[in-house]
Amino acid sequence: MNEAEVALLGIRHHGPGSARAVAAALAQWQPDAVLIEGPAEADAVVHLAAGKDLVPPVALLAHAVDDPAKAAFWPYAEFSPEWVAIRHAVDHDLPVRFIDLPAGYGFAPSADGDGDADGDGSDGDAPDGLPADPLALLAEAAGHDDPERWWEDVVEHRAPGADALAPFAAVAEAMGALRAEGLGESRRDQLREAHMRQQIRAARRAGYRRIAVVCGAFHVPALETMPTVAHDRALLAGLPKRTRVDITWIPWTHRRLSQATGYGAGIQSPGWYHHLFTAEGDPVPRWLTRAAELLRAQDHPVSSAHVIEAVRLAETLAVLRGRPLAGLTETLDAVRAVLCEGSDVALELVRERLVVGDALGEVPDAAPAVPLQRDLARLQRSLRLKPAAAPRDLDLDLRKDTDAARSRLLHRLRLLGVEWGAPASSPVNSTGTFRESWRLCWQPEFAVRIAEAAQWGTTVEEAAVNKAVGTARSAVELAELTGLVETCLLAGLSGALPAVMRVLADCAALDTDVAHLAGALPALVRALRYGDVRGTDHAALAGAAVGLAERVCVGLPPACVGLGAGSAALMRARIDEVHGAIALLDPDTPTDTHADGGSGAGTDGLADRWAAALRSLARREPTGGPATGAPGLLRGRAVRLLLDDGRLDSEEAGRRLGLVLSVANAPADAAGWVEGFLTGGGALLLHDPRLLALLDEWLRGVSGEVFTDVLPLLRRTFAGLEAGVRTTIGGRVAAGPLGAAPAAPETAGELDRERADAAVPVLALLLGVHPKIPRQAAGRNT
């Protein structure tokens, strides 16, 4: 019996030239079986490539069944040689097998490697400091310092010749010489190549006479010379226990192809390579035409004459540089010089859209998937939210049922760790809660996160509810729980809210840290605002929020005593947040002015109790050192909030500012007080010149040594003011003493009615109205 013939087609992953060469070799050689470097588990899903619903770029996703976070990808584009081989096999009804080590060995705890397949040796450990990339050595031997450009000239820009197998023989000879010279392979490479040889032997035993093997060129020398079966079995006997895995097809993107994933063969220009593989005839003029269309769509003045000149420039540069065809470098140089007129901004647009691209593949519904993935696909279809690799903005009106359902889906996915949508600022200014804006961008790795989230449930809603409850039970911070409550309301998870609220109540009862309570309150109050538009029952939320607010009101003043500069800055932010939250909780409480700084704690409103807490904080001055009182930053902030709410008049605020800026107080404490008082706006210094005069007088009286210490605080304070306010304050200070009475305005001269009446007919003509000229003026005109 004649031994089966084996054709070893050594390729570079994601190379359009290699893909064309593989297509020509398979058409010429006509094998009866095709073996492809890839995880052996993929045999179960390769049949899906026979239909038209599996559209590249796609990727094989393998993940451990018990731990979906352990996953690996093997991506394929339309110009990937492996994909060309798969399509040839299914189109000609040939058996196709994947012959690399099963992915399950890569996920084992003691495995040597991370489970990714690497067809070109780029992750192998090369001895003696040799580079791991064999193409770099070949390019160096050929006198080229750029392996990418060398490979393009030798392979990618060359059309297959009369003998389609000749290029593969040449590549195999070059790789054999490199490995013979000492480009070593890693232990993992040896295991993988032993498994590939075993699979080739299995194909021979199955009776196939002409076997085509498509693999990374680095492995060809190891597959040409077959050692004994016992040798390979001994190597594979050291493999760890195989992990049980699931494998499927998932959509991939050109942008993700630009990263070294799976085969370890990321490419920088997938969009360009796709054009090289699919374009008929000379690819450069067609690609420059697409670039011109893109730039014209962005309002760049690009004409057909620009395209003609760019083609000429690219071809001329290729000749000057000794290249067989204009490559990407020459083409981009022509785009920058001619189409973009030297603009790197416009060139970056071409790089993003055409050199890389945003193509997103498609997989059939028959592809294996966890129930959670199928439920998500159903919701995407029903809500008309098609995943896309290109970022896009989505504005939702929550008063509409479809938009509300879309909002719930996006919030639920965020809770599950699938960041398909990110909240964005809306171009429409609105203070209501019925509008949401999102920025959507689908990433291929979301398939892994969905597989991980499948442990929580079989539908998106069920998984989100269970994940929320599980997160609440493991939460340690009160703010984390109140944020989770807000997420549950946004996501419409009524099934999770009671359990989360019980955990929140228990945690709030045990937490005595005022900073924690203050940090947790704003999210809870924001959640209360969603009740009207989302139809949620927030009675329990209101009770919890009021309880937190009351505890903050009681504990705030003593909690602020003795704080350092960093802690005081954090507490000031908390006070501002609580102030806004209480305004939402108790919006109808009337504000009354307490010019004397009286307590007002006897009122029943929550806002009144908060005002009393602020008054108490404002009075806690450090009488016996900084540790005996509240920092000036917080006391000044409390006075400003009371002033803005109308609970303190400007005269009382001025009196307190004068006391703080007196010589009896430490300059650093006074500077902190001013910072807290002016945070949020300094327009009151313009409206009340007395306050500005007090500040100016204090600043002029500070000694030189102390001024150096307080200067950073003052700079930070005034840097936060509006530019117009700073300019006006500077002008008033430069104009003279601020405490002097303002100069009386100059009296205007007497109106010259005769001259004014003379202008009336002209103004009437310009305005198109009938002039009403006084009688005496009319007499003069006649």
Side-chain angles (χ1 to χ4, degrees), residues 34-51:
V34 179
L35 307 183
I36 300 174
E37 177 190 340
E41 295 94 340
D43 290 347
V45 295
V46 70
H47 67 279
L48 295 173

Side-chain angles (χ1 to χ4, degrees), residues 464-542:
V465 167
N466 293 333
K467 175 69 180 295
V469 174
T471 302
R473 291 172 178 170
S474 61
V476 295
E477 295 287 343
L478 189 59
E480 183 180 358
L481 285 170
T482 55
L484 184 60
V485 169
E486 182 181 14
T487 301
C488 288
L489 287 175
L490 291 169
L493 302 178
S494 56
L497 201 54
V500 176
M501 288 300 301
R502 285 195 296 271
V503 178
L504 173 63
D506 295 340
C507 185
L510 297 176
D511 199 331
T512 59
D513 192 320
V514 174
H516 291 171
L517 299 176
L521 180 62
L524 204 57
V525 174
R526 285 196 305 268
L528 284 171
R529 302 183 66 202
Y530 308 137
D532 296 334
V533 69
R534 297 177 184 270
T536 54
D537 181 11
H538 53 257
L541 289 179

Side-chain angles (χ1 to χ4, degrees), residues 401-705:
D401 293 340
T402 300
D403 283 359
R406 289 172 174 174
S407 172
R408 289 193 295 269
L409 174 63
L410 294 174
H411 282 293
R412 289 170 182 176
L413 290 177
R414 282 171 58 83
L415 181 60
L416 294 173
V418 181
E419 301 281 344
W420 179 20
S425 58
S426 173
V428 179
N429 293 326
S430 174
T431 58
T433 59
F434 64 86
R435 184 181 298 276
E436 275 187 354
S437 294
W438 295 83
R439 188 158 183 83
L440 305 184
C441 183
W442 186 264
Q443 301 292 340
E445 59 267 24
F446 290 162
V448 176
R449 299 180 188 175
I450 292 171
E452 291 182 72
Q455 62 179 307
W456 298 106
T458 57
T459 66
V460 174
E461 181 177 4
E462 179 187 4
V465 167
N466 293 333
K467 175 69 180 295
V469 174
T471 302
R473 291 172 178 170
S474 61
V476 295
E477 295 287 343
L478 189 59
E480 183 180 358
L481 285 170
T482 55
L484 184 60
V485 169
E486 182 181 14
T487 301
C488 288
L489 287 175
L490 291 169
L493 302 178
S494 56
L497 201 54
V500 176
M501 288 300 301
R502 285 195 296 271
V503 178
L504 173 63
D506 295 340
C507 185
L510 297 176
D511 199 331
T512 59
D513 192 320
V514 174
H516 291 171
L517 299 176
L521 180 62
L524 204 57
V525 174
R526 285 196 305 268
L528 284 171
R529 302 183 66 202
Y530 308 137
D532 296 334
V533 69
R534 297 177 184 270
T536 54
D537 181 11
H538 53 257
L541 289 179
V546 170
L548 282 180
E550 290 177 343
R551 294 179 61 187
V552 171
C553 292
V554 172
L556 178 66
C560 293
V561 173
L563 293 180
S567 300
L570 293 176
M571 184 61 78
R572 186 196 67 181
R574 293 280 188 262
I575 290 174
D576 287 344
E577 293 174 353
V578 171
H579 187 75
I582 289 180
L584 293 174
L585 266 180
D586 195 7
D588 298 327
T589 300
T591 59
D592 52 348
T593 301
H594 299 273
D596 57 352
S599 173
T603 57
D604 296 329
L606 180 60
D608 292 324
R609 291 195 289 276
W610 172 245
L614 292 177
R615 292 190 185 94
S616 176
L617 173 61
R619 290 194 298 266
R620 290 182 179 261
E621 299 180 358
T623 56
T628 61
L633 177 70
L634 303 183
R635 302 196 323 272
R637 191 62 191 151
V639 171
R640 176 61 185 272
L641 294 177
L642 290 170
L643 177 64
D644 289 346
D645 276 358
R647 296 178 179 272
L648 204 68
D649 60 24
S650 59
E651 183 178 351
E652 174 64 17
R655 186 185 70 84
R656 297 195 180 200
L657 176 61
L659 293 175
V660 168
L661 299 181
S662 64
V663 295
N665 287 333
D669 183 73
W673 199 99
V674 171
E675 180 182 1
F677 185 71
L678 295 182
T679 298
L684 58 89
L685 293 179
L686 304 180
H687 299 309
D688 193 341
R690 188 168 56 88
L691 297 179
L692 182 58
L694 287 172
L695 184 60
D696 180 61
E697 181 181 358
W698 168 77
L699 191 57
R700 286 188 286 110
V702 174
S703 63
E705 297 81 3

